[in-house]
């Protein structure tokens, strides 16, 4: 079986089969809603553009393509995006490992990538990491091909894939940092800095990315402001807790055994000595981004998924480094496989044993109940047919705009004089000339500073959803009318 998987088509078909299985397993998990970010990306897809509040446009474009091709806005059509893209990313890892070493190394690298816990989880979520991993993998392959043959075709395809990666997620910029680290690892690589084809590839990448830059220019660089707010230093100048939190999270991202093997491979392999060129290449594209993100975590913070692209090269590096110690590779794959099966089926196991689901060990608790919240809000709006939806919180806005649709001119609370804090404040702000009545949904207790800005307000029955005992979604509902403006003097 493993021998057959060292061939391209069997490996690709396995990746497709795993993707279909994950999609089926997700469909068997009753009561799960879209994640708030997924609902937001769906809203973006309703108006395709060159950019959005916090992300470049690729994820919205893919959702638009998926929902229009499949003819549905249902969750399953939205979640078809990772189903379609991850098999190609997995095949790209296989192709990279085969080109750098041999088919067996490519197979092992692809399996490490395919079964890593972060992929098992994100395969059920539509995030910007999905297209990023695909274009990062393609960029790595074309960069190595360009380094070997210096063909214009490979350099230009590198630029195209890198540009599409930037249109997927801004962390594609780490690719340039890793490429520079590779150039500086050995004197023989310095000549790449004099290669005009490298700069042609970089220019093409920037041209592909240019529409998003122009979009940001037209929107006062709102995306830059958003990321600056997130990265704003507050408190101590260093954050050792965030450093160790990110480092520890990587054992969950790549796998407990896999990440341990990666650290061991990084420690064993010298970067600056007589290391073979393929190994130096992989070290640069997994070690350099890892060090950079660890530095960001130490100085400010870093999300666990920021390092996802480095595991493309890391999968190949671990597979190559331990190909003579296959028991460790088998252990890494077995642990990751068991974690994936547990993630998908532990609720069924609880039901089979008669144990009730409880909040403290429900990995999906953040995804439960939002469809019912939306349906209750929809029923209230139908009862009060003259109302428009008003929200004041980003995640709730995302869920309601998806699950309470169709909606007529919804609004979000957005006091002027401050930069928008989310997409809804940027595109759907409540303005002084917004007449009529609104159904305001808010976390209890309702902010009286909002209520007094309306001439009339009436408390309606609360929105309460309890997916199971111990997990509750509770919101207040108010009918407000006669907006007087944000100025407290009115």
């Amino acid at each position: 079986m493993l021998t057959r998987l060292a061939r391209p088509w069997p490996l690709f078909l396995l990746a497709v089969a795993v993707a279909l299985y994950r999609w089926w397993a997700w469909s068997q998990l009753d009561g799960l809603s879209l994640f708030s970010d997924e609902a937001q990306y769906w809203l973006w897809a309703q108006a395709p553009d060159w950019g959005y509040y916090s992300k470049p446009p690729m994820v919205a474009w893919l959702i638009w393509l998926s929902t229009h091709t499949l003819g549905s806005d249902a969750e399953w059509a939205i979640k078809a995006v990772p189903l379609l893209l991850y098999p190609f990313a997995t095949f790209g890892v296989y192709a990279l490992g085969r080109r750098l070493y041999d088919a067996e190394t490519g197979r092992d690298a692809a399996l490490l990538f395919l079964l890593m816990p972060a992929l098992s989880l994100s395969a059920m979520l539509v995030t910007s990491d999905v297209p990023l991993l695909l274009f990062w993998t393609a960029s790595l392959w074309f960069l190595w091909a360009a380094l070997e043959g210096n063909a214009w075709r490979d350099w230009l395809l590198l630029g195209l894939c890198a540009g599409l990666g930037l249109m997927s997620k801004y962390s594609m910029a780490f690719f340039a940092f890793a490429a520079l680290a590779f150039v500086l690892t050995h004197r023989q690589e310095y000549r790449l800095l004099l290669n005009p084809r490298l700069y042609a590839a970089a220019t093409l990448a920037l041209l592909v990315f240019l529409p998003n830059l122009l979009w940001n220019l037209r929107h006062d660089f709102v995306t830059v402001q958003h990321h600056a707010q997130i990265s704003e230093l507050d408190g101590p100048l260093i954050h050792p807790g965030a450093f160790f939190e990110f480092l520890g999270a990587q054992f969950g991202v790549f796998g407990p055994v896999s990440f341990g093997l990666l650290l061991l491979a990084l420690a064993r392999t010298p970067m600056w000595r007589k290391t073979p060129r393929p190994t130096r290449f992989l070290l640069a594209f997994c070690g350099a981004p890892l060090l950079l993100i660890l530095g960001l975590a130490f100085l400010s913070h870093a999300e666990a998924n920021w390092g996802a692209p480095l595991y493309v090269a890391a999968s190949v590096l671990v597979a190559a480094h331990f190909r003579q110690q296959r028991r460790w590779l088998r252990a890494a794959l077995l642990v990751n496989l068991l974690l994936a099966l547990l993630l998908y089926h532990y609720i069924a196991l609880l039901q089979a044993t008669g144990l009730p689901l409880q909040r403290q060990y429900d990995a999906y608790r953040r995804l439960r109940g939002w469809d019912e919240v939306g349906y209750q809000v929809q029923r209230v709006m139908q009862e009060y047919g003259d109302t428009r939806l008003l929200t004041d919180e980003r995640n709730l806005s995302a869920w309601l705009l998806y699950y309470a649709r169709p909606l007529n001119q919804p609004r979000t609370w957005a006091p002027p004089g401050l930069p928008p804090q989310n997409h809804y404040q940027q595109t759907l702000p409540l303005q002084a000339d917004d007449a009529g009545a609104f159904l305001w949904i808010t976390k209890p207790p309702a902010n009286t500073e909002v209520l007094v800005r309306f001439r009339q307000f009436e408390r309606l029955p609360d929105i309460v959803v309890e997916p199971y005992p111990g997990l509750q979604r509770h919101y207040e509902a108010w009918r407000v009318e006669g907006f007087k403006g944000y100025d407290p003097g009115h």
Side-chain angles (χ1 to χ4, degrees):
M1 177 65 178
L2 284 178
T3 303
R4 288 187 177 182
L5 290 178
R7 302 204 304 253
W9 274 110
L11 190 283
F12 180 73
L13 291 176
L14 174 67
V16 172
V18 170
L20 289 170
Y21 164 76
R22 285 168 167 163
W23 186 81
W24 170 83
W26 169 81
S27 70
Q28 301 305 301
L29 295 169
D30 292 334
L32 298 191
S33 310
L34 292 178
F35 190 54
S36 60
D37 284 351
E38 294 179 290
Q40 176 176 259
Y41 300 152
W42 169 85
L43 181 66
W44 291 356
Q46 306 316 297
D49 205 343
W50 291 108
Y52 300 93
Y53 173 79
S54 59
K55 295 281 194 305
M58 185 62 70
V59 66
W61 291 353
L62 291 171
I63 291 174
W64 182 92
L65 181 62
S66 174
T67 54
H68 279 72
T69 301
L70 298 172
S72 174
D73 285 313
E75 292 100 328
W76 65 267
I78 297 171
K79 290 180 179 290
V81 173
L83 168 69
L84 296 172
L85 265 60
Y86 273 148
F88 289 99
T90 302
F91 184 78
V93 175
Y94 164 80
L96 180 65
R98 187 176 68 167
R99 181 150 193 165
L100 287 169
Y101 296 98
D102 52 47
E104 287 73 21
T105 301
R107 172 201 61 205
D108 294 341
L111 293 176
L112 284 169
F113 178 81
L114 180 64
L115 295 178
M116 71 180 197
L119 212 69
S120 295
L121 179 60
S122 69
M124 299 190 294
L125 300 172
V126 184
T127 70
S128 53
D129 285 326
V130 177
L132 172 67
L133 286 171
L134 176 63
F135 293 122
W136 182 288
T137 304
S139 297
L140 266 183
W141 195 93
F142 285 117
L143 175 57
W144 183 254
L147 293 173
E148 281 191 319
N150 199 36
W152 268 111
R153 180 194 62 185
D154 294 325
W155 284 112
L156 294 178
L157 287 172
L158 164 64
L160 175 63
C161 291
L164 292 173
L166 286 169
M167 293 293 274
S168 302
K169 195 171 183 178
Y170 296 123
S171 56
M172 185 70 196
F174 292 160
F175 191 93
F177 176 79
L180 180 61
F182 171 70
V183 169
L184 298 178
T185 57
H186 201 284
R187 194 169 287 179
Q188 78 179 47
E189 310 298 351
Y190 294 173
R191 67 180 185 273
L192 289 173
L193 297 175
L194 302 176
N195 189 338
R197 301 185 183 194
L198 170 66
Y199 297 101
T203 300
L204 179 57
L206 290 175
L207 287 174
V208 173
F209 184 55
L210 182 61
N212 182 254
L213 289 175
L214 295 176
W215 181 92
N216 271 284
L217 180 63
R218 292 194 304 271
H219 293 82
D220 300 320
F221 288 97
V222 65
T223 307
V224 177
Q225 295 179 36
H226 165 72
H227 287 284
Q229 292 168 10
I230 293 177
S231 303
E232 188 176 88
L233 295 178
D234 186 20
L237 292 178
I238 59 174
H239 298 74
F243 174 90
F244 288 109
E245 181 180 351
F246 175 80
L247 184 62
Q250 301 315 294
F251 286 93
V253 171
F254 196 37
V257 178
S258 302
F259 190 67
L261 295 179
L262 174 62
L263 293 178
L264 187 58
L266 291 173
R268 283 180 177 179
T269 310
M271 187 77 168
W272 302 92
R273 299 178 185 172
K274 295 180 180 179
T275 303
R277 196 185 196 198
T279 305
R280 283 190 285 106
F281 181 75
L282 295 173
L283 285 169
F285 279 92
C286 64
L290 180 60
L291 290 175
L292 176 61
I293 301 171
L294 284 170
L296 292 174
F298 190 68
L299 294 175
S300 177
H301 86 291
E303 300 293 337
N305 67 320
W306 286 9
L310 71 89
Y311 295 109
V312 174
S315 297
V316 182
L317 180 65
V318 170
H321 192 84
F322 291 94
R323 55 185 166 182
Q324 302 303 324
Q325 300 168 287
R326 295 195 52 79
R327 65 184 184 278
W328 289 111
L329 292 177
R330 288 194 293 268
L333 293 172
L334 179 61
V335 168
N336 287 353
L337 177 61
L338 291 175
L339 288 174
L341 293 174
L342 183 63
L343 175 67
Y344 298 144
H345 300 296
Y346 79 95
I347 294 177
L349 291 175
L350 288 176
Q351 293 173 344
T353 55
L355 293 175
L357 185 61
Q358 298 183 23
R359 180 188 179 99
Q360 59 266 31
Y361 53 76
D362 181 9
Y364 303 107
R365 61 183 177 273
R366 295 176 66 188
L367 304 179
R368 296 188 185 278
W370 301 112
D371 52 350
E372 182 59 30
V373 170
Y375 299 152
Q376 288 194 27
V377 169
Q378 190 180 60
R379 287 195 291 270
V380 174
M381 295 189 71
Q382 289 171 352
E383 182 178 351
Y384 295 86
D386 60 339
T387 58
R388 295 152 61 192
L389 180 67
L390 176 65
T391 56
D392 59 357
E393 192 266 326
R394 185 187 79 90
N395 290 337
L396 181 62
S397 300
W399 278 308
L400 291 184
L401 289 174
Y402 181 78
Y403 285 111
R405 68 186 195 277
L407 295 168
N408 177 34
Q409 297 181 324
R411 290 290 182 260
T412 191
W413 184 259
L418 297 173
Q421 303 298 305
N422 55 61
H423 170 77
Y424 311 100
Q425 289 189 359
Q426 179 196 10
T427 60
L428 302 171
L430 178 66
Q431 298 176 347
D433 59 352
D434 275 316
F438 289 90
L439 175 64
W440 179 36
I441 308 297
T442 186
K443 289 181 179 179
N447 186 351
T448 56
E449 292 297 318
V450 175
L451 288 174
V452 298
R453 301 294 184 269
F454 294 87
R455 292 186 175 86
Q456 299 178 30
F457 47 87
E458 174 191 359
R459 178 86 179 260
L460 303 179
D462 288 1
I463 304 294
V464 180
V465 173
E466 191 173 50
Y468 53 78
L471 180 64
Q472 188 181 83
R473 311 295 181 200
H474 182 193
Y475 290 92
E476 290 185 10
W478 292 79
R479 186 184 185 278
V480 294
E481 188 173 2
F483 183 50
K484 298 182 292 186
Y486 292 99
D487 186 351
H490 288 177

